[in-house]
């Protein structure tokens, strides 16, 4: 039954990542459409550094993806 422990550990890590209210709001905003970082920041009304940290964590856990168009970063 060690696979159950692995699954529990993975699920616990995933739930820990999405358990912050700002990250839940980010996921909600990106659920229906891609957004440029500046538009996402305006919608959420949070500091750029705070948004950047949350996006980096979500990206590291493969919850969001980014793409670039020139200088624009789109999630």
């Amino acid at each position: 039954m060690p696979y159950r422990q692995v699954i529990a550990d993975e699920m616990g890590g995933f739930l820990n990542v999405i358990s912050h209210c700002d990250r839940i709001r980010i996921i909600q905003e990106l659920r229906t459409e891609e957004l440029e970082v500046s538009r996402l920041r305006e919608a959420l009304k949070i500091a750029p550094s705070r948004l950047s940290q949350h996006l980096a964590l979500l990206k590291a856990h493969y919850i969001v993806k980014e793409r670039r168009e020139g200088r624009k970063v789109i999630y």
Side-chain angles (χ1 to χ4, degrees):
M1 311 260 190
Y3 66 91
R4 288 186 179 173
Q5 183 62 47
V6 172
I7 291 170
D9 291 344
E10 290 291 322
M11 185 60 79
F14 173 77
L15 293 173
N16 188 42
V17 170
I18 64 168
S19 66
H20 193 281
C21 60
D22 285 341
R23 291 191 287 268
I24 292 170
R25 291 174 56 212
I26 290 169
I27 293 167
Q28 286 176 327
E29 289 294 326
L30 296 175
R31 205 176 91 227
T32 57
E33 66 178 327
E34 295 180 326
L35 288 174
E36 187 181 341
V37 174
S38 61
R39 286 190 53 213
L40 188 56
R41 187 179 60 75
E42 289 170 10
L44 298 173
K45 306 219 182 312
I46 61 176
S49 59
R50 189 169 162 183
L51 176 60
S52 177
Q53 289 174 354
H54 288 309
L55 286 170
L57 186 62
L58 290 170
K59 193 171 101 175
H61 286 85
Y62 305 101
I63 297 170
V64 299
K65 293 190 293 184
E66 76 171 21
R67 67 182 176 85
R68 296 179 180 267
E69 288 183 359
R71 295 178 64 185
K72 295 179 185 178
V73 180
I74 301 168
Y75 283 89

